[in-house]
Amino acid sequence: REIMELPFSDMNPFALTGLAAGMQWTGQPEYRRPFDNGGTSSFNTAGGVGQNEYSIDGATVTGTGRRVGFVPPSDAIVEFKMETANFDASEGHSSGAAVNVLTKSGTNSFHGSLYDQHWQQRWNATQHFTRLAWEKQVAQGQISPNTPKQTSGRSNQFGATIGGPVRIPKLYNGKDKFFFFFSYNGIYQNKTETTSSVNVTVPKTAWRTGDFSDLLALPNASSYIVYDPRSARTVNGHVVRDPFPGNKGVPVLNPMYNFYTKLYPQPNNVPGVVSPEGSNNFYDSNMPKNEKFNSILNRIDYSISDRQKLSAKWYWNHRLADEYDYTHDTLHGLLSDGLVRINKGGSGDYVWTISSNTVLNVTGAYQRFNEGNVNAVQTSFKPSDVGLPAYMDQKAADLHIMPRIDISGIDSMGGGVNTGNYPAIGIRGSTATLRAVLTKVSGKHSLNFGWDERRYWTTTAGPGYTSGRFNFTNSYTRSADNDSTASNVGLAWAAFMMGLPSSMQVDTNDNAIWSVPWHGAWAQDDWRITTKLRVSFGLRFEWEQGMTERFNRGWGGDFNFAYRYPFSDAVEAAYSKNPLPELPASQFKVQGSGYFLGQNSPRTFTDGVRNFLPKLGVVYQISSHTVLRAGYARYADTFNANNTRPSQSGFSQTTSTVMTNDLGLTFCCGLNSVAGLSSGNTPLSNPFPVRGDGTRFDQPYGNSLGGVYFAARTIDPVYPSNFVPARQQRWRASLQHQFTNTLVVDVSYNGAWSKIPVSQPLNYVPAQYYGSGNTRATAVEASMTTNVPNPFNISNFASLATSSPAVYNYLLTQGRFTASTVAKNTLLRLYPVMSSTFNGLRPGVELLDAYGGNRYNDLEVQVEKRFARGFSTTALYTYARSEVQDWYANPFDAKPSWEINNNTLPHRFVWLGIYELPFGKGHTWASKGLLRHVLGGWSAGWIYQRNSGPALTWNNVFFYGDTIGISASGR
C-alpha cells in the first residue's frame, strides 16, 4: 500500500494520498497547494473514521483540526509512503491512514535545483459555469464578444535546493561525515476572485444624502417607506411613527456616519446582477484573491561513527492571504481576511547499531501549527477615530480595532468582517514527541519493541469585538412596532444615518491553555516460519489521558442530572398553579445542570482512555510470481485538544446595552425621549453609559455561579467522563501476481467495523407528543408551539434579589427568566430548565450501547506497469460500500439510525503515468551535441480521476408523487 516516488515534482506530496487504491478524496482540485492544510488532508480510508497520522522522517507533523501541520517542498522529498491497512504495532495514534515522507539528505558532492512554475489563469480552460455565464452575457448584449471569458491572474511557484558536505575552507571538511540539505519554496499568487462573493450590496448614491425616493417606484412601495423615529408615539397600544415626506430628508445624526460611508464603493449596477431594490449593486471584477507563501526545510546528517548516526531537521512556512476585500479601491486591505498559517518545528534522530542484529533508534520532535488572521489596517484604528467616545479606546487598550457595523440589507463594514472578530492568531496547536525503538533479529524472529511519549498543547485566544459591534435594522424606521411587512432595504441604512442601532455590544474575552499527555508502548514479532510463510503479530498499548486547562477555564464533562437550582422549588410551585393537561405538576421537575472544570468536577474534561490494540499479519508465497497477504488489526482514534476542546462560555463576556424598554419611545445612553435625537445626542454618543454600580462593562462570570450558569443554555455535546473516541477493527486479504518483469496486478478485499461516538438527544419532547403519518401534523405543531404562562419568570422567585443577588442579576440577563410566556413544548421536555436541545449520554445507558457504527467493505484492483523503456503507469479501481450509524431519526429513539456513508463513494478510478521522452543522453534521438542539453530530460505525465458522487439528501420532505411540485408544496 505504498507510493514510493512522486510522479510530478511540483505536486503537494500529501495530496498524492488521494491517488491510492482504497482512498476517498473529498477535497476540491484547487486546494491542494502546500498551504491548503485542509484540502491536502481531505481524504479518508475504511469509512472515514477518525483522523490520519502525518509524519516526516517518522516524526509527527499533525496539526489542528485533524489536518496535516506542515507540507514539505516536493523537491525536498525522496520517498513517500502511505499505508491504509498497517498491521505493524509500531504505528498508532490514529484510526485512519498513516502517511510518511522521507526528506533528502546531502551527499559527498554538491547538488541542487532551481525551478519556477508560472501559471496564468487565462491559459487554463474556462470552468463550465463561468463559460455559460459569459455566453449568456454576450447573448444579452451586456458584454462584448471580445471580453475575456475569465479574469486575469497569475501565480509563480518557485524554489531552490542545495545539498552536500559541510565544508569550511581551510578549517573543516565534512566529506563522508557531515552533510546538509536545504530547500526553499515560494508561492506568490496574484489573481481576482471568481465566485459569487464578488457581488456585494452597498448603499445607493442617493441614500447617502438621505434620499430614498427611488424605493417608492418598486412594487409594494409601502414596504420601503422610511419613517422618522423622532415622531414615535403611542396609538392604540402600539408605537407608531410618521413617514419622511417623499422618502427624502433623512438627516445625518450618527457621529460615525461620515467615516464609514466613504469606505463603501459607489454602486455600478451591472444589469442582470443588481436586483430592483438594489441588492448586489456592486459587482467587483477585481476583488483580490492573493496569496504569499514561503517555506523552508533544512536537514543535517552527521556520522559519529560507523555505528552511530545523527540527523536533524527544522522547518518553517508562512502563508498570508489577501482575499474578499471589496474595499480595495477605497481603503485597500480593510476587509482582507488576512488568513495566516505559520507552521514550524523540527526533529532529531539518533541511530545506534549496537551489534550486527540489534539497532536502537531514538527520535524527538516538536511541531507547532499557528492559525488565525492578521489585518494591520483594521487594527490601526481606535474607536475614537470613527467618532465613538474615548473611553472605548481605554476599554480596547492595545487590542483596539475599527468598530464593526452591520446594516441589514447592506454588506458589513469595519473590523472583524471576513476575520470573525479581532484579527489574531486564534489557535496554536503544538505536539511534542519522544520515541525509542529497539529492533533485534534473533534467528527467524525480527523483534521490535518501542516506547512512545507525546504531549499535545493547544492555546486558544479570541479577543472578540474589543472596540464594539453595532447592528442597524428597521426597528425604529418602520411605521409601527407591529409592522411585519416593512423591508430592511433602505430603512436600515436610514437608521444608521440617524445613529439608532438596534443592538450594541463589546466583548471581554479570556484565552486558554489546554494540554493532553499521551503514552504508548508496543512489542512486535516478525516470524519467518518458512521461506514461503511469514507471520507477524504485535500488541500496542495506548494511554491518552484526560484534557486539562491550566487554570480550569472551561466546562467539565458529564451532566449533573439531579442538580437542584436555588429557584427549582419556586418554579415547580408556579407550574402547579397552571399545569399543562399533558403533564401533571408532580412530573414537572426543574433540575439538571453542567459542570465547570475543577470546581464541581475533576480537572480533566474526561477520564482519558486506555487501549490494547492487537495486530496480526500473514504473508504466503504461493509461487515465485504470486503472493497472498492477509491481516487484522484494531485501531483507536485520538481525543486531544488540537481537535476538540470544552466550551469556555462564562469565561468570556459580552456587554450589551439595552436600547429601549418601550419599543422606541425612549432610549438609553442619555438620549431619553427619542424626540431629543440630534447630531450631538444619539445612543452612539455614549453607547455604554456608567451604571448604578459604577461600571460600564460586564466582567466574565467565570465559574462563580456554579451550576446556575448553565440554566437555559446549551451544553452540546455533553461528553461523559468515561468517553472513548472511535475504535475500529480492520482486515485485509490480497493476492498479488507478477505477469511479466514490469507488470504486476494486485487484487484485494478490505473490510472494517467501527464503533463511533454519537451523542444521544437528552432534552427531547417525549414520543407521545409527536404527530405521525405521511402529512405534516400542523395541529400538533400548533399545539406544541402555543405560548403558555412561563413558570420560570423571575417574578416567581423575587426573593433571590436579597438572598443571592449575583444569581438574581444574572438571571435578569437571560430571556428564559424575563419572558412572561414560554412555548408549551419547552415545558414538556425532560429538562425544561435547559435549552431546547442538547446531546450527551442518557442516565442509566452504557456508553458503548449509545454509540453508533460504521461498516465498510471494498474490492480494490491495482495494475502497475513498472518503469521500463521510459514509461511507467498505474491504474487503480475501488468498489466500496459503507453505511454509518451516526444520527437519530427521532430525538426520542433509543439507538441512532443507519444511512449511506458519504465518506465513501461507490466507484473510484485513478490512472496515472509518466513517459520519459526519447531525447537526450542514452536515448534514441538527440543523444549528442547541443540538442542533447536542449531536448534531453523532458517527460510527460498525467493523472486521471473519476468517481461516483455522494448520495443526495432530501431533507424533511413529504413526497406525494408529484416531482414537479415537490419544491412548492412537498414540504
Side-chain angles (χ1 to χ4, degrees), residues 344-527:
K344 53 189 175 182
S347 66
D349 194 69
Y350 169 71
V351 179
W352 178 23
T353 305
I354 301 172
S355 66
S356 60
N357 59 3
T358 305
V359 177
L360 175 65
N361 186 189
V362 179
T363 302
Y366 178 81
Q367 151 82 16
R368 169 169 280 190
F369 184 98
N370 302 318
E371 185 173 39
N373 305 87
V374 295
N375 189 307
V377 176
Q378 292 183 6
T379 56
S380 66
F381 291 94
K382 302 186 298 296
S384 61
D385 295 334
V386 308
L388 292 174
Y391 68 74
M392 294 289 292
D393 295 352
Q394 299 170 8
K395 169 69 173 69
D398 293 337
L399 296 176
H400 56 76
I401 186 176
M402 183 189 295
R404 172 168 174 164
I405 60 169
D406 299 301
I407 304 170
S408 295
I410 303 290
D411 277 71
S412 298
M413 182 65 69
V417 177
N418 294 331
T419 62
N421 49 44
Y422 185 94
I425 302 298
I427 184 169
R428 292 177 170 88
S430 301
T431 306
T433 300
L434 182 61
R435 172 185 169 107
V437 182
L438 182 68
T439 303
K440 183 176 180 62
V441 178
S442 177
K444 293 185 177 182
H445 297 270
S446 294
L447 304 172
N448 183 285
F449 306 94
W451 166 68
D452 196 354
E453 282 290 315
R454 186 174 289 190
R455 297 293 182 272
Y456 298 99
W457 296 291
T458 310
T459 61
T460 55
Y465 295 100
T466 59
S467 298
R469 182 175 184 177
F470 304 87
N471 183 41
F472 297 86
T473 66
N474 66 8
S475 297
Y476 312 120
T477 55
R478 56 183 178 173
S479 63
D481 64 73
N482 62 341
D483 182 358
S484 60
T485 63
S487 172
N488 273 302
V489 174
L491 278 68
W493 182 261
F496 174 64
M497 294 183 70
M498 300 186 71
L500 281 180
S502 54
S503 65
M504 303 185 292
Q505 69 178 66
V506 65
D507 295 331
T508 303
N509 290 352
D510 208 341
N511 54 20
I513 305 172
W514 306 96
S515 63
V516 175
W518 190 100
H519 321 274
W522 71 88
Q524 174 87 19
D525 183 9
D526 232 349
W527 182 16

Side-chain angles (χ1 to χ4, degrees), residues 641-672:
N642 282 344
N643 301 327
T644 305
R645 295 162 297 278
S647 171
Q648 283 192 280
S649 179
F651 295 90
S652 297
Q653 185 65 39
T654 296
T655 300
S656 299
T657 299
V658 178
M659 294 298 302
T660 178
N661 288 314
D662 49 23
L663 303 175
L665 294 175
T666 61
F667 281 87
C668 70
C669 314
L671 177 60
N672 298 321

